[in-house]
Amino acid sequence: MELSKEKMLWMYQKMVEIRKFELKVDELFKKNMIWGTCHLYIGEEATAVGACAALNRDDYITSTHRGHGHCIAKGAEMKRMMAELLGRETGYCKGRGGSMHIVDVSTGNLGANGVVAGGIPIATGAALASKRRGDGKVTICFFGDGAGNEGAFHESLNMAGIWKLPIVYLCENNLYGMSNPVKNSTAVEDIAVRGQAYNIPGVIVDGNDVLAVYETVKEAVGRARRGEGATLIESKTYRWMGHSKSDPRAYRTREEEQEWKERDPIKLFASQLMDRNIATEDELKKIDEQVDEEIEEAYEFAVNSPKARVEDITEYVYA
Amino acid sequence: MSEKTYIDALAEALREEFDRDENVFMMGEDIGIYGGAFGVTKGMYPKYKDKLLDTPISEASIVGAGVGCALVGMRPIVEIMFSDFMMDAMEWIVNQAAKLRYMTGGQLKVPMVIRAPMGCGTGAAAQHSQSLPALFAHIPGLKVVMPATPYDVKGMLKAAVRDDNPVIFFEHKLLYWTKGDVPEGDYTVPIGKAAVKREGKDITIIAGSIMVPRSMGAAEKLKEYGIDAEVIDIRSLVPMDVETIVESVSKTGKAIIVEDDNKNNGWGSEVVSKLIESDAFDYLDEPIKRLAGKDIPIPYAPELERAAVPQIEDIIEGVKEIFDKR
């Protein structure tokens, strides 16, 4: 099915939103306005957006410690995300979660997760629930290359394999688990081949090409919805920034970073849109400017929101 | 009302909850046609085939998938074959199930029950015999219960299934074949309420799980020594019913706590702390005593295994020591 112009411009806008949101977060970090740590998604925007574009609003995702991109792509409000990062009462988690725990139930986002592979069994459970209920929903489980070496990854893929669960395991292979290159941590070159061990198709996709990600995920989501079971997709991509705010990136070269930046997923998509006469430079520029305003509004909303209430510190431990 | 075993009362609760709510189901290892390692689901399979999901031996993902099911509105019951194996699933119990509600500012809830047979007395040695309620009672976000009678196990399982929080449900293996009166049909026993299982005026014995019947046995014997013991079944460690304990100890002026867990940093320490922080402190006329498992891994040889945790005679002796001192 050919994508509509409207949908493609939506995808472009979401990618720009993620990029500019993360740049703003980086700026606020450097100003010491954001507490704790933070893992930026810049450079990987095509994966989150391509994947979420293949889902319905009520389908589920689980996300990772590097989760802002998934959250925005699934439809969360940036102002409430920003408020969470600033520890405000109006944040998605009322200041109790911060960057690594943003959840937006209203868009089917079951949550970022601070623990590597933490979301994999949870996503598997959500898919198990869908299968039992026959509700037709599909779950995308985002995780990184590092999570592929956790035991729970293998347990869960096995479960999805035996029970033919409606789930897409989407590995964002950004080449490094914190500092450790995948080739030093992982016995196989392509994580996708691990699907074979669990009778799940494994597919590799160019994670910087949003249309390629969309097509690949769409097919996997279709299989899942038709009751044909899980797919493991490995999206090859790259995080431009360090692992977290304290990472000087001594384990990789500036030249390697430059090579990947030349394959900027947003520029790549912009030229695809213009080359195919889907959008003009002006149209895209207008979107960029509109996003700038949204980011500024998000920041204003967050910074003017009340701080998390200390008197309520013990609220929400139990339901 | 009829006399039933603990295991039958538990099975009855499961069947009734399966029938009551389509979102309730159970997953675990060998719970289907095999009927569970201890036979809790024995004979249920033909009728409840759809409710009993046999899983691969993958404790982390069994519990993790339970969390995922619960997040989207189901009410899973997870059976972990031996509570010792919960160690494989700690990430999804402690970092996920317990924290998700708080971390998300109340957006998520995890209505999940983890059923776990615990305790020694079967000769299974250290990796199949530990009692770990205290370990989980330390984690905010979890509820921790350990019913001791057939009546309580049926009512508390139902309460746990209907609770919107993760509930760790400990079943001592030696309780499975004990008998007691169990009403037909639906009733719940609230989580967070202790029960006075025997009224007495001279001393309060606070016990949990298998130590409840042992304390009841000891209390009967203590009559011969002129000691009228009150026995409180704590039933639930989190939330803990401090009020009932404080009230009893304020009345008797003496307290002994009997635990199946090993002693060091056990739940009895928390009971002591609650007592000395309360008005009951003013009524205490002897130091509080704790009887608990020895601080060792559970040994194999029958003589060693028996000596690892309090027996009836140890409870009798422990109580008598308090009175003999006077």
Side-chain angles (χ1 to χ4, degrees):
Chain A
M1 191 194 75
E2 193 63 25
L3 278 165
S4 67
K5 174 178 176 175
E6 191 193 357
K7 177 116 185 191
M8 281 194 270
L9 290 186
W10 174 88
M11 289 163 79
Y12 177 80
Q13 178 175 333
K14 287 290 151 191
M15 289 173 74
V16 175
E17 282 178 5
I18 295 169
R19 174 71 52 91
K20 290 183 185 275
F21 182 87
E22 297 291 58
L23 287 170
K24 185 73 183 178
V25 169
D26 195 39
E27 175 198 321
L28 296 176
F29 243 119
K30 285 170 181 152
K31 287 184 185 164
N32 284 323
M33 288 180 70
I34 293 179
W35 180 233
T37 190
C38 195
H39 309 88
L40 300 175
Y41 196 69
I42 295 175
E44 305 183 36
E45 296 89 346
T47 300
V49 173
C52 290
L55 289 180
N56 300 329
R57 188 179 168 90
D58 63 353
D59 285 327
Y60 300 121
I61 65 164
T62 63
S63 170
T64 69
H65 58 287
R66 197 175 308 286
H68 303 167
H70 311 133
C71 199
I72 292 172
K74 197 67 177 58
E77 292 180 73
M78 290 190 290
K79 61 179 190 177
R80 293 192 62 198
M81 292 174 66
M82 194 64 91
E84 185 59 32
L85 295 177
L86 265 60
R88 305 301 164 126
E89 192 64 28
T90 53
Y92 271 111
C93 311
K94 300 186 167 69
R96 282 156 180 77
S99 169
M100 285 189 283
H101 304 294
I102 302 182
V103 162
D104 178 19
V105 175
S106 68
T107 56
N109 180 356
L110 299 177
N113 208 301
V115 174
V116 170
I120 297 180
I122 294 175
T124 305
L128 173 62
S130 289
K131 168 123 186 170
R132 292 186 67 85
R133 293 166 147 175
D135 64 12
K137 292 183 189 180
V138 173
T139 301
I140 292 185
C141 173
F142 289 101
F143 60 100
D145 42 84
N149 295 326
E150 290 276 9
F153 164 83
H154 296 272
E155 288 186 356
S156 285
L157 262 72
N158 181 55
M159 284 180 173
I162 54 175
W163 295 330
K164 288 211 172 304
L165 298 182
I167 186 165
V168 179
Y169 294 101
L170 210 172
C171 177
E172 298 175 313
N173 181 352
N174 62 20
L175 308 187
Y176 297 89
M178 206 155 131
S179 70
N180 204 4
V182 170
K183 63 176 166 24
N184 291 353
S185 69
T186 304
V188 290
E189 194 180 328
D190 299 315
I191 292 161
V193 304
R194 287 181 168 170
Q196 228 173 50
Y198 307 107
N199 202 18
I200 289 173
V203 187
I204 296 168
V205 67
D206 176 355
N208 283 25
D209 180 346
V210 70
L211 295 174
V213 173
Y214 172 79
E215 290 301 333
T216 306
V217 175
K218 180 112 185 123
E219 199 181 321
V221 168
R223 286 190 67 237
R225 241 190 267 285
R226 290 192 301 271
E228 292 164 25
T231 307
L232 171 62
I233 297 173
E234 179 181 1
S235 175
K236 306 260 194 194
T237 185
Y238 199 80
R239 65 168 148 77
W240 287 11
M241 318 292 272
H243 163 74
S244 62
K245 66 168 183 174
S246 55
D247 175 8
R249 309 179 334 275
Y251 47 84
R252 66 190 196 190
T253 64
R254 300 298 83 88
E255 290 74 24
E256 179 187 286
E257 291 177 356
Q258 197 46 46
E259 279 171 35
W260 278 91
K261 283 180 180 175
E262 279 159 22
R263 296 202 65 247
D264 179 343
I266 295 179
K267 281 191 187 149
L268 198 69
F269 190 35
S271 32
Q272 285 168 337
L273 290 170
M274 289 187 289
D275 291 351
R276 296 186 198 177
N277 293 321
I278 293 160
T280 64
E281 196 172 355
D282 277 352
E283 278 176 292
L284 298 183
K285 205 175 152 210
K286 225 173 120 189
I287 291 174
D288 292 350
E289 286 165 6
Q290 189 192 321
V291 172
D292 281 333
E293 275 173 40
E294 282 177 49
I295 300 289
E296 217 33 53
E297 280 166 23
Y299 169 71
E300 287 299 326
F301 171 83
V303 82
N304 291 313
S305 286
K307 290 190 172 170
R309 290 160 53 87
V310 177
E311 27 321 7
D312 295 340
I313 190 172
T314 56
E315 286 284 306
Y316 308 118
V317 179
Y318 291 97
Chain B
M1 190 81 81
S2 62
E3 192 174 64
K4 288 198 175 81
T5 59
Y6 188 97
I7 205 165
D8 284 344
L10 179 57
E12 195 167 284
L14 289 170
R15 286 195 303 267
E16 289 178 14
E17 289 306 287
F18 291 159
D19 291 339
R20 186 188 59 81
D21 183 346
E22 58 179 12
N23 287 312
V24 178
F25 76 104
M26 190 155 98
M27 57 198 283
E29 295 157 6
D30 305 293
I31 62 169
I33 204 154
Y34 188 91
F38 293 92
V40 173
T41 52
K42 202 170 177 184
M44 264 189 222
Y45 188 68
K47 188 172 173 202
Y48 292 98
K49 207 173 169 178
D50 294 340
K51 292 289 191 178
L52 300 170
L53 180 61
D54 268 328
T55 64
I57 304 167
S58 305
E59 285 81 5
S61 288
I62 296 169
V63 173
V67 173
C69 284
L71 290 185
V72 299
M74 300 202 82
R75 293 186 170 271
I77 303 165
V78 169
E79 179 177 296
I80 297 294
M81 190 184 279
F82 288 80
S83 66
D84 311 70
F85 307 165
M86 287 165 84
M87 303 305 100
D88 270 333
M90 283 305 256
E91 165 60 32
W92 283 270
I93 300 172
V94 177
N95 268 328
Q96 310 292 340
K99 294 177 183 173
L100 281 170
R101 182 160 187 84
Y102 189 80
M103 286 195 306
T104 63
Q107 279 192 82
L108 297 178
K109 62 179 183 184
V110 185
M112 172 175 69
V113 182
I114 300 178
R115 290 187 36 246
M118 71 167 179
C120 66
T122 64
Q127 293 173 339
H128 290 71
S129 300
Q130 198 166 10
S131 286
L132 290 161
L135 188 68
F136 294 91
H138 190 63
I139 308 299
L142 301 177
K143 292 188 176 180
V144 181
V145 302
M146 43 180 184
T149 65
Y151 178 91
D152 285 345
V153 80
K154 181 176 173 185
M156 289 181 85
L157 194 276
K158 284 166 169 273
V161 167
R162 298 173 199 187
D163 199 289
D164 278 341
N165 299 284
V167 180
I168 315 291
F169 197 92
F170 285 107
E171 302 157 10
H172 197 290
K173 288 161 237 167
L174 298 185
L175 290 172
Y176 280 140
W177 302 102
T178 58
K179 288 182 174 170
D181 283 338
V182 180
E184 304 299 322
D186 193 44
Y187 68 94
T188 59
V189 172
I191 289 172
K193 285 275 173 225
V196 179
K197 290 277 161 82
R198 182 186 194 282
E199 286 190 24
K201 60 180 187 346
D202 297 331
I203 185 168
T204 303
I205 304 176
I206 302 138
S209 192
I210 188 69
M211 293 303 157
V212 174
R214 285 184 194 168
S215 297
M216 294 294 277
E220 278 308 304
K221 195 82 183 157
L222 283 163
K223 281 199 295 194
E224 294 171 20
Y225 300 94
I227 298 168
D228 182 18
E230 179 145 304
V231 178
I232 291 186
D233 177 356
I234 195 162
R235 294 200 293 201
S236 162
L237 294 184
V238 183
M240 188 185 281
D241 180 2
V242 180
E243 204 184 321
T244 299
I245 297 168
V246 166
E247 198 178 307
S248 172
V249 174
S250 301
K251 178 179 77 178
T252 62
K254 294 179 197 65
I256 182 167
I257 301 154
V258 191
E259 299 151 72
D260 183 51
D261 295 39
N262 62 300
K263 191 168 188 180
N264 195 15
N265 293 289
W267 59 261
S269 311
E270 187 59 32
V271 175
V272 173
S273 152
K274 291 283 196 300
L275 281 170
I276 62 175
E277 285 175 333
S278 78
D279 293 343
F281 183 73
D282 297 330
Y283 295 93
L284 282 170
D285 44 38
E286 293 294 338
I288 303 168
K289 193 179 183 81
R290 284 182 68 208
L291 295 178
K294 292 191 167 51
D295 289 311
I296 54 171
I298 298 298
Y300 165 69
E303 300 77 9
L304 300 180
E305 187 186 32
R306 197 170 184 284
V309 293
Q311 304 294 337
I312 292 183
E313 62 268 25
D314 300 314
I315 304 170
I316 296 167
E317 211 42 52
V319 171
K320 277 174 66 192
E321 275 170 20
I322 294 174
F323 286 88
D324 289 348
K325 269 203 316 192
R326 314 187 88 200

